[in-house]
């Protein structure tokens, strides 16, 4: 089925995932056309689309695309617009494929797109540990998508403590703080190492949410009770008595 953009116009066929050149091109485009207008950078877009991939309810592109830009851009022509839609849909496809894998079997080309130091085991010398905010934009993008279906997410959170635990970890990435059990106590800044640990667990969190989404959307056959005879009808056990005088007592 051909793809369509948010205005319903035919778009180019989207790739199953973005290659390195396409990722770089999309990152530059967002930096130029979205970030200056309070839209998303590439990392925030990746978190945003990841949340859409595990959302309790489907969100159409016509609804999820506008927040990406902040302010709707003006494209040079229909060809440019079609190329942009193809990149966004390709990124969406990549996020949707990512959530089908866990920590152990995630292909490299589906890994979350967020900035990390070249050697994540070492903090850059020019940075203090508590000043690094790796994962912050990704988590903020995730929560931006949650807001599109806030009521449905709230229902999941109310019914599942483990989802609330995931949100708590993502909130730590977004806020840079770990809330104390005592609401009157000050929050503790999250360390660089703690950020890396949360980031390493993102594929598993998304996979768990994906499995929950599939289960929630899978229709279930209602359990039907066996037909009960009328009280004055012969009892089905064969006793010759009326049901109300036999098995129906």
């Amino acid at each position: 089925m051909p793809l369509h953009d948010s205005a319903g116009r035919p778009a180019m066929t989207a790739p199953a995932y973005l290659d390195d050149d396409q990722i770089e091109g999309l990152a530059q485009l967002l930096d130029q056309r979205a970030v200056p207008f309070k839209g998303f950078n590439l990392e925030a877009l990746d978190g945003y689309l990841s949340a859409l991939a595990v959302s309790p309810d489907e969100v159409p592109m016509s609804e999820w695309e506008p927040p990406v830009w902040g302010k709707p851009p003006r494209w040079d022509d229909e060809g440019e617009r079609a190329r942009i839609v193809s990149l966004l849909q390709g990124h969406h496809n990549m996020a949707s494929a990512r959530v089908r894998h866990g920590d152990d079997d995630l292909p490299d080309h589906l890994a979350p797109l967020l900035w990390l130091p070249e050697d994540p085991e070492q903090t850059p010398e020019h940075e203090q540990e508590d000043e690094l905010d790796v994962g912050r934009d990704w988590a903020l993008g995730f929560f931006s998508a949650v807001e599109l279906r806030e009521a449905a997410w709230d229902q999941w959170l109310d019914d599942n403590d483990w989802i609330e635990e995931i949100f708590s970890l993502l909130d730590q990435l977004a806020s840079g703080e770990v809330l104390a059990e005592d609401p009157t106590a000050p929050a503790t800044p999250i360390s660089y190492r703690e950020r890396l640990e949360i980031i390493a667990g993102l594929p598993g969190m998304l996979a768990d949410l994906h499995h929950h989404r599939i289960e929630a959307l899978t229709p279930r056959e209602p359990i039907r009770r066996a037909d009960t005879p009328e009280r004055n009808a012969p009892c089905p056990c064969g006793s010759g008595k009326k049901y109300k005088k036999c098995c129906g007592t």
Side-chain angles (χ1 to χ4, degrees), residues 14 49-50 67 73 81 101 130 136 145 178 205 211 217-218:
L49 295 178
S50 295
R81 172 61 183 157
H101 301 271
D130 58 357
R136 175 179 179 273
V178 180
M205 298 178 201
H211 291 315
L217 295 178
T218 301

Side-chain angles (χ1 to χ4, degrees), residues 15-184:
Y17 63 91
L18 303 183
D19 60 29
D20 290 344
D21 290 340
Q22 290 170 322
I23 290 172
E24 181 64 26
L26 181 56
Q28 293 178 0
L29 175 71
L30 293 169
D31 287 343
Q32 295 168 1
R33 308 295 289 272
V35 173
F37 304 101
K38 299 183 178 179
F40 298 152
N41 61 17
L42 182 69
E43 183 175 320
L45 177 63
D46 196 71
Y48 184 73
L49 295 178
S50 295
L52 292 178
V54 295
S55 175
D57 295 329
E58 199 76 29
V59 182
M61 186 177 183
S62 59
E63 185 178 352
W64 66 251
E65 186 192 3
V68 171
W69 305 109
K71 177 182 177 182
R74 293 184 178 180
W75 308 110
D76 292 340
D77 52 43
E78 289 295 324
E80 182 187 33
R81 172 61 183 157
R83 289 191 295 273
I84 301 311
V85 170
S86 178
L87 286 175
L88 289 176
Q89 287 280 9
H91 196 165
H92 188 280
N93 291 342
M94 183 166 61
S96 298
R98 172 188 301 148
V99 302
R100 302 188 186 106
H101 301 271
D103 294 321
D104 299 328
D105 64 346
L106 180 68
D108 290 342
H109 68 273
L110 297 179
L113 301 179
L114 40 73
W115 175 86
L116 286 173
E118 291 186 6
D119 185 355
E121 294 302 316
Q122 295 183 3
T123 305
E125 294 180 359
H126 64 283
E127 298 277 6
Q128 296 295 322
E129 281 198 12
D130 58 357
E131 292 177 353
L132 288 175
D133 61 355
V134 291
R136 175 179 179 273
D137 288 344
W138 197 96
L140 290 174
F142 186 98
F143 286 129
S144 293
V146 168
E147 291 175 357
L148 298 179
R149 292 295 182 271
E150 190 170 6
W153 277 106
D154 283 345
Q155 186 63 57
W156 273 12
L157 289 165
D158 289 342
D159 295 341
N160 302 276
D161 290 342
W162 64 272
I163 297 180
E164 189 170 356
E165 292 175 5
I166 289 176
F167 272 49
S168 177
L169 292 173
L170 295 180
D171 184 66
Q172 291 175 27
L173 287 182
S175 68
E177 297 179 334
V178 180
L179 297 178
E181 293 185 7
D182 181 357
T184 63

Side-chain angles (χ1 to χ4, degrees), residues 168-247:
S168 177
L169 292 173
L170 295 180
D171 184 66
Q172 291 175 27
L173 287 182
S175 68
E177 297 179 334
V178 180
L179 297 178
E181 293 185 7
D182 181 357
T184 63
T188 304
I190 184 174
S191 71
Y192 172 69
R193 301 300 172 190
E194 288 172 321
R195 284 184 175 277
L196 291 183
E197 290 176 2
I198 296 173
I199 290 170
L202 289 178
M205 298 178 201
L206 293 172
D208 288 343
L209 290 170
H210 171 67
H211 291 315
H212 181 72
R213 179 177 187 269
I214 294 300
E215 290 179 1
L217 295 178
T218 301
R220 289 176 170 80
E221 287 291 333
I223 300 175
R224 298 182 179 181
R225 300 179 62 182
D227 291 337
T228 302
E230 294 290 338
R231 288 178 54 78
N232 289 318
C235 188
C237 74
S239 66
K241 299 179 181 179
K242 292 184 178 180
Y243 176 69
K244 66 180 180 181
K245 296 290 187 179
C246 189
C247 295

